[in-house]
Amino acid sequence: MDLGRIGQQNMQLIHVLMEYFRLEIVNYKFVGIFCDLAKAFDHVNHDILIEKLNYYGVNETSIDWIKSCLHNRRQRVDINVNNVQNYSSPWEIVKQGVPQGLVLRPLLFIIYINDLPRDINHFINVVLFADDTSILITEKNYENLT
């Protein structure tokens, strides 16, 4: 785990949220729900992602290239005990997720969840930042927040 990258990512998210708060804080009360999706990149459904790429107008050549990165990937677990015994699971096909090390990984994830704000009530603001999602509810008085 790269704590420097995590800290930098959190600072960028905090900056975005603080700018939002600065603009709204004079007239509104806030409730914030901050979500950090565990293993978010590993749960991307390939078919849904490809559908969304088509919807957003990504050309067929690019989609075919992305499909080649997603489909027919295999993985297994290897365990080495004291450099004496090795254990390996059988190879399994990976059916979901965006490969680690793929430069487009964060972009593909954002495309995957990009329609989330559209499907939420207009009194609720959603800030998407990689695999961190913040849901901000604003109202003029506290009674309406409950």
Side-chain angles (χ1 to χ4, degrees), residues 8-22 127 129:
Q8 178 184 9
Q9 184 176 359
N10 286 341
M11 290 306 296
Q12 290 170 341
L13 177 58
I14 289 168
H15 177 73
V16 168
L17 293 174
M18 290 305 295
E19 183 63 19
Y20 176 81
F21 291 150
R22 185 184 68 77
V127 178
F129 194 85

Side-chain angles (χ1 to χ4, degrees), residues 106-117:
L107 176 63
L108 292 174
F109 183 76
I110 288 293
I111 290 169
Y112 185 71
I113 64 168
N114 194 46
D115 52 359
L116 176 65

